[in-house]
Amino acid sequence: MSTQVCTAPKANGTKIWRFSPLRLIRKYDAIYQQRQTLRNLSDTALKDIGLTKPQANAEASRPVWDAPSHWLR
């Protein structure tokens, strides 16, 4: 799994991609923050999104790198 950042397009119109560790760290931090927010939701809020407290806690306990690849784009 890698996170990439688009730099300037080449002359032929294709884009140059390079790995960005800082961007990956920021994505992991965002995932961590979202999961902690999920853990702290009230039972009413969880019911609104169709989750139980055990499901929310299970999701919040997952490691940050265990996320769908489309979250890291």
Side-chain angles (χ1 to χ4, degrees), residues 46 51-59:
L46 289 171
L51 291 176
T52 64
K53 196 64 162 175
Q55 289 172 323
N57 287 335
E59 178 65 27

Side-chain angles (χ1 to χ4, degrees), residues 3 6 8 13 17 23 28 30 36 40 43 46-47 58 60-62 68:
T3 298
C6 178
W17 294 91
R23 185 167 185 256
Y28 282 168
Q36 294 313 302
N40 296 323
D43 291 335
L46 289 171
K47 185 178 178 183
S61 298
R62 291 171 58 185

Side-chain angles (χ1 to χ4, degrees), residues 2 5 8-9 11 14-16 19 24-27 30-31 37 39 45 56 58:
S2 67
V5 174
T14 62
K15 296 179 181 178
I16 301 169
F19 177 74
L24 183 61
I25 290 168
R26 287 180 177 160
K27 288 286 187 173
I31 291 168
T37 300
R39 181 189 305 264

